[in-house]
Amino acid sequence: MKGPASMIGAARKAAPGVETWELALADETATAALASDVARILRPGDLMTLSGDLGAGKTTFARALVRARAGDPELEAPSPTFTLLQIYDLPRGAIVHADLYRLTGPEELEELGWEEAGEDAIVLVEWPDRIGADLPPDRLDLTLDLGASPESRKARLSGYGAFGNRLARLRDGRRFLDAAGWGDAARAHVQGDASSRLYERLTLGDRTAILMDAPPRAHGPAIYDGKSYLTLARLAVGVKPFVAVADALRAFGYGAPEIYAQDLANGFLLVEDLGYEPVAAGQPIASRYEAAVELLADLHGRSTPTELPVGRELYSVPPYDLPAMLVEVDLLLDWYMPHVAGAAPAPEARAEFRALWAAALEPILDETPTWTLRDYHSPNLTWRDDREGLQRLGVLDFQDMVFGPPAYDVVSLLQDARVDMQDGLELALAARYLERRRRADPGFDPRAFARAYATMGAQRATKILGIFVRLAKRDGKPGYLGNIPRVRRSLAANLAHPDLADLAAWCAANLDLTETSDR
């Protein structure tokens, strides 16, 4: 990452467009609130300029932003008026606050240690005109206007280049919360999932809610039959499916969140806070997993509709069909195998792999499908002691729900990629599920379910090996690699089923699933 001098000094192309956001700042509290909002979208390497007359509030804004990034409203944040540079080494990354009012020209920047100070830091620059006209095309500008009175003070944010989309998202999210009556809520980041969605817990008085920020997803290039991966894998591109499925699950008596406010076009939802008490604390909490298994047994014994209402519209639940499952297992070939072997398999091996999977999946897909929530595992389940029955289980992350094999969600829960099961617990929970299903339906076939469980377990583990490497390599999330040994063990265990012998043979010939195979 280049430092500020490199960012600013080189000749650059003009930014393709500018997004703006104008708003009134009645007092310092409003200024601090805006700074807190902006702090959420800044990343190491970003440049933000602060302009306005003396006394307009530039330093007040910068100080509030530093404190917001630090998570410490009392942090000492002195003005850099005399030192010119103030550097903050914060847990979420460094911030360099520069006041260039006394600078006479760009050539003085080097003497300040500007290049070294701004390496991989967020850089806030007051009086950016002292640098010259050649500012980088990707930046965020703030102009503060004193107005005729303190009550008429205004702010104008301008996002240039790549910052345009980020500023537009921030602006639209703030407008959404204001319209929902939650604009004054305190906001705290909530650890999200592996997607691009962001989550915040809002607190307003004694009430809490979750803001789900899920911009519509771009389809990307076509990979088969003119279709994108999102289309083939039957993945949601917006928040409409989340609303439809949440309402449907609550109608069945399950603990999906209530939707308080929604902006389906832009991808903002304000939803019920299901709490943060987990179902697994280092390892599964058996009683909570039992409830999770019982919910699935109850769901799989129901008649589930193919269309769900969303306002005046209908949402059609897509099928978890053969193209979807095949494009998912391809992730092992495209990401995991190059990671561990240095290259993707030859075309002949790839064709054989797909043919073996098609044969293994055919009898599973011939069975009666049901709602498959698809991400039914510990990160997406919470526990609520103040509720009764199945309502004790809070259920999240179901926007990719499809019509698929009942075994998929059972194996997703019992072969969790992130937690180790205690000895015998997977078997005991599977037996509990089978007992509930047979009690409700004497015609339920445990042998067929066992085959489906192994097949779906192998398919899911194959997919996840590719996804975890993709998250590490493409998305810069290397922490997912730590789960790979656990997923390899699941894949090997599922491939031991007699009906998957041909697939097991292919993996033995082409894929090392031993504990030392990852690097």
Side-chain angles (χ1 to χ4, degrees), residues 282-336:
Q283 62 183 12
I285 300 171
S287 61
R288 298 177 183 181
Y289 267 61
E290 288 171 358
V293 159
E294 289 172 1
L295 188 150
L296 289 179
D298 182 82
L299 173 62
H300 297 163
R302 292 175 179 264
S303 175
T304 48
T306 59
E307 292 188 325
L308 306 175
V310 183
R312 296 181 179 179
E313 301 180 16
L314 287 176
Y315 169 69
S316 296
V317 181
Y320 203 12
D321 52 14
L322 184 62
M325 292 193 182
L326 289 181
V327 78
E328 289 180 334
V329 296
D330 279 348
L331 294 173
L332 179 131
L333 309 180
D334 297 334
W335 290 94
Y336 181 74

Side-chain angles (χ1 to χ4, degrees), residues 31 40 83 97 102 119-120 170 208 252 292 305 314 343 353 368 371 378 394 398 405 500 510:
T31 300
R40 293 182 181 88
T83 60
H97 179 197
R102 296 192 296 123
E119 189 76 17
D120 289 324
L170 179 68
T208 64
F252 277 167
L314 287 176
F353 180 77
T368 303
W371 288 353
S378 63
F398 38 66
L500 300 179
N510 296 276

Side-chain angles (χ1 to χ4, degrees), residues 255-267:
E258 181 181 352
I259 311 298
Y260 297 148
Q262 61 191 46
D263 179 349
L264 299 182
N266 291 311

Side-chain angles (χ1 to χ4, degrees), residues 185-383:
R187 300 165 68 171
H189 174 72
V190 175
Q191 183 63 40
D193 49 28
S195 74
S196 60
R197 293 181 292 269
L198 300 175
Y199 301 89
E200 290 183 295
R201 177 168 280 108
L202 310 184
T203 303
L204 189 62
D206 60 354
R207 296 183 295 156
T208 64
I210 298 295
L211 172 64
M212 180 175 169
D213 179 348
R217 302 167 69 183
H219 275 278
I223 56 174
Y224 287 117
D225 298 328
K227 298 177 182 178
S228 69
Y229 178 83
L230 289 182
T231 299
L232 289 166
R234 308 295 189 177
L235 298 176
V237 297
V239 297
K240 181 179 176 180
F242 185 97
V243 175
V245 178
D247 290 346
L249 292 174
R250 287 200 320 280
F252 277 167
Y254 307 142
E258 181 181 352
I259 311 298
Y260 297 148
Q262 61 191 46
D263 179 349
L264 299 182
N266 291 311
F268 291 105
L269 298 178
L270 187 65
V271 306
E272 179 185 1
D273 183 358
L274 299 184
Y276 40 80
E277 180 70 22
V279 298
Q283 62 183 12
I285 300 171
S287 61
R288 298 177 183 181
Y289 267 61
E290 288 171 358
V293 159
E294 289 172 1
L295 188 150
L296 289 179
D298 182 82
L299 173 62
H300 297 163
R302 292 175 179 264
S303 175
T304 48
T306 59
E307 292 188 325
L308 306 175
V310 183
R312 296 181 179 179
E313 301 180 16
L314 287 176
Y315 169 69
S316 296
V317 181
Y320 203 12
D321 52 14
L322 184 62
M325 292 193 182
L326 289 181
V327 78
E328 289 180 334
V329 296
D330 279 348
L331 294 173
L332 179 131
L333 309 180
D334 297 334
W335 290 94
Y336 181 74
M337 290 189 68
H339 172 65
V340 297
E348 297 81 4
R350 178 184 289 268
E352 182 184 7
F353 180 77
R354 289 189 122 237
L356 290 171
W357 266 114
L361 291 167
E362 183 179 2
I364 312 303
L365 293 174
D366 282 343
E367 296 176 2
T368 303
T370 187
W371 288 353
T372 302
L373 303 183
R374 218 171 184 180
D375 286 299
Y376 191 81
H377 51 182
S378 63
N380 301 323
L381 302 172
T382 65
W383 189 255

Side-chain angles (χ1 to χ4, degrees), residues 124-136:
L124 310 176
V125 181
E126 296 187 42
W127 303 98
D129 57 299
R130 302 297 197 267
I131 298 172
D134 194 15
L135 291 170

